[in-house]
Amino acid sequence: MIPPGYFFILSVVLFVLGIIAFFFKRDLITQFMAIEIMLNAANLAFLALARSSNFVDAQVIVFFIITVAAAEAAIGLAIVLLIFRKKKTIKTETLNSMKG
Amino acid sequence: MTDVFWLIPFAPVLSSLVLVVFGSKLSKKWVSVQACGAVFLSFVFALVAFLGSLKISPEEFPIVKTLFPWIGAGSFQAGFSFQFDPLSAVMVLVVTGVGFLIHLYSVGYMAHDKGYTRYFAYLNLFTFAMLILVLASNMVLMFVGWEGVGLCSYLLIGFWFEKPSAAAAGKKAFIVNRIGDMGFILGLLFILVAVGSSEFSAINKAIGQGLFPQALATLIAILLFVGATGKSAQIPLYVWLPDAMEGPTPVSALIHAATMVTAGVYMVARLNLLFAFSGTAADIVALVGALTAVFAATMALTQNDIKRVLAYSTISQLGYMFIGCGVGAYAAGVFHLYTHAFFKSLLFLSAGSVIHALSGQQDMRKMGGLRKYLPRTFPPFLIGAIAISGIPFLSGFFSKDAILTEAFAQGQYFVWALGLTGAVMTAFYMFRLIFLTFYGQERIEHEAKHHLHESPKSMTVPLAILAVFSVIAGYVGLPAVLGEKADLFKRFLEPVIKPGAEGHIGAGTEWLLMLASVAVAAVGIFAAYVFYLQKPGIPHTLVARFPWLYKLLYNKYFVDEIYGAVIVNPLVKGSDWVYGHFDLKVIDGALNASASATGFFGKVLSFVQTGFVKDYALVFLLGAVIFLGVLLF
Amino acid sequence: MAILLFFLFAAFAVGSVLGMIISRNQAYSALFLVVAFASLGGLFGLLGAPFMAVVQIIIYAGAIMVLFIFVIMMIHLGEGISAEKKKWTIAAAVFMGIILLAEIVFAVKGAPAVPMAGQEMAGTSPTEIGRLLFTKYLYPFEITSILIIAALVGAVVLIKKREGE
């Protein structure tokens, strides 16, 4: 029906859009969202590959990826909140205390 | 029974470890019992081993026990091994026996010191190191003990380290000993090269087979003797011992009179075959010993500090021991070591009792007439003084006479004359000390007199025991004139010290020599009596008549000042110069240059580290692009 | 029919991601993202993975995005945030993104074409996935639960107000 190549192309497009979103945005939260987009694009590619090679286990692995992403989101957002509480801002261009 | 000998050193070291680790939690009483008990246990083992060894035939010595292989490097092997033979037996008995009495005495003497536990931890550790030193079956292990006693000596001299003079004295002792140790190490290395092993049995065997030339033997012996001059306070390295009197008095008695300072004598006696084989080295030993005996005695004449008099006396007596070793009478040297351990520790401990009674006063000018206040300290003190002066029927007479007789018999008349001169002065300064301290008018300061009291039992009992031994200890080594077999001590030592070519002198000459020694002792005592009791004006007249001589003696020949000007000062100045010109400029410069170079590159590269997350992400992305590109093409 | 759905979902996904990029308001961005994730869920369904589709919608579009919106509401920024001002950063990112796109497309094209073996397959039932989860992947599953607990506790500890703050 649908050639798997379509899914791949779509996933790559989404991935690159995620990258561009990351650089386009100036606050931590939306940049974080951009990262989530990339993660989802990867999931899509994963499932497409599973489908084309008929590998059911891949779905379980994607399930794990989503779970871990949830945990990561919880921690990531906690850190964002913490930074906001300390610095009163989440604009990335103001956050450079790690400067060498 | 003798097999227990390898257990001797371990009780003190265990006790010391316990005191170091759990010391703060133990009560004073427990500390005293444990520390003294450990040394007593060693003494019991030593006694058992000694009694057992009496039944063993001389050929079976030495009995060697290897606890474990210690150093193995190529062909060089050194085991952690002990050996037991009559010489070790004498030494362990002296170390543990006298050591136990001094531990006991310390219980009273140090009772009010806040470093009580630390003191006993050091003292136990010292006992262990000294036992390792005398029991070691090879020179490498002996060196461990040699350095161990040096370390403990440093720790105990500087025991009251809050006193700057004590801290300085500790450092001085340590550094001067290092100079001697350099000689020891060089000698040890030469032995390793020449013999290939540092076991005493192997060294003796190599000498017996003539495996190395006499010149090499002389070199080794002299180098080792340099080590001995450091440890046993002989010319030119004696300067640390008088200063070492900054330590607590029992320490002076144990380390700086009875045991550690005799390590050099022990070492020479242990290697008697080497020194005898060299010949030249033995002559040097005898000469240095004789010069030290007289030189130190002259310095003792004018000192006013009671402990310093005894310190110079110790140097002088060590000189006698070296005379004995140098003229080939090793047995007599060791015999003097053994009797000296009793009467000199007795003298030190009695002096400690006097100091204790006078609340820390050490200046004899502020004593006098103490006889009636210290009834239990005075008799032992007097016995010690008589013994060291060489009055017949006390131990010091027998041993000193044995040395001088042998020196005369060997034709070393110069050495003998020096020894005799030293004997006059010994008697003189000892009785000067007695008269100034116990007789005459009281010159005690008011405050001290207020607190004047006889010392507690734990101090006077060891004094009484040591006094008894100072009297009777000499009877195991009666002069040869009383019969071929009279000198039990010498015969006991024969497995270690092979009887050499003894000088032969007639019985008449021997009696005459004995008479001479007695006469000089009597002269010395009488002179002291006249100078300090009958006509107390004489010393002042003499000082007025020969001011330069008095000044010279009082200032100890300015040796400390000369060493300071010739060695220490140039070293300090030179070090300063090197510090200023080399350390600061070259070493620090190189260091700073490399540091600033690193810093420069760091700064240059740190522009990459902007701290902005997007810049990092951009680089990350670039990396991903390049990585994938490389992967694809 | 399926291909139509694919293009529909794909258009929604790409479109909402673009919308998310353009939007200046964080809340709008988050809502755009919900749409994108939901359409991705649809795509998962097209790939014969109904369970993953449901999970995607419930967890991603539901739970995680709610979390995002919560945080956006806690961090009140007033007016929206404009796009990146440093143009060269965006230019570099877009440039490299396009290169990456080209590279991946090239890589996928270069890969041997695998026929869609399971085209006739109706898809994988949740039953099968459940069985796999509790048999073959039991340990990873349990470990993941520990990970979630750790993340939960970690987040609480991070956010907790310390004394004196």
Side-chain angles (χ1 to χ4, degrees), chain B residues 596-609:
Chain B
S596 57
T598 313
F600 173 73
F601 285 115
K603 247 181 210 133
V604 167
L605 286 176
S606 80
F607 88 93
V608 179
Q609 302 283 336

Side-chain angles (χ1 to χ4, degrees), chain A residues 22-23 25 31 93 95-96 100, chain B residues 609-612 614 617-618:
Chain A
F22 182 87
F23 287 99
K25 293 295 182 183
Q31 281 182 308
E93 65 259 34
L95 302 172
N96 68 337
Chain B
Q609 302 283 336
T610 56
F612 293 114
K614 266 185 197 166
L618 211 56

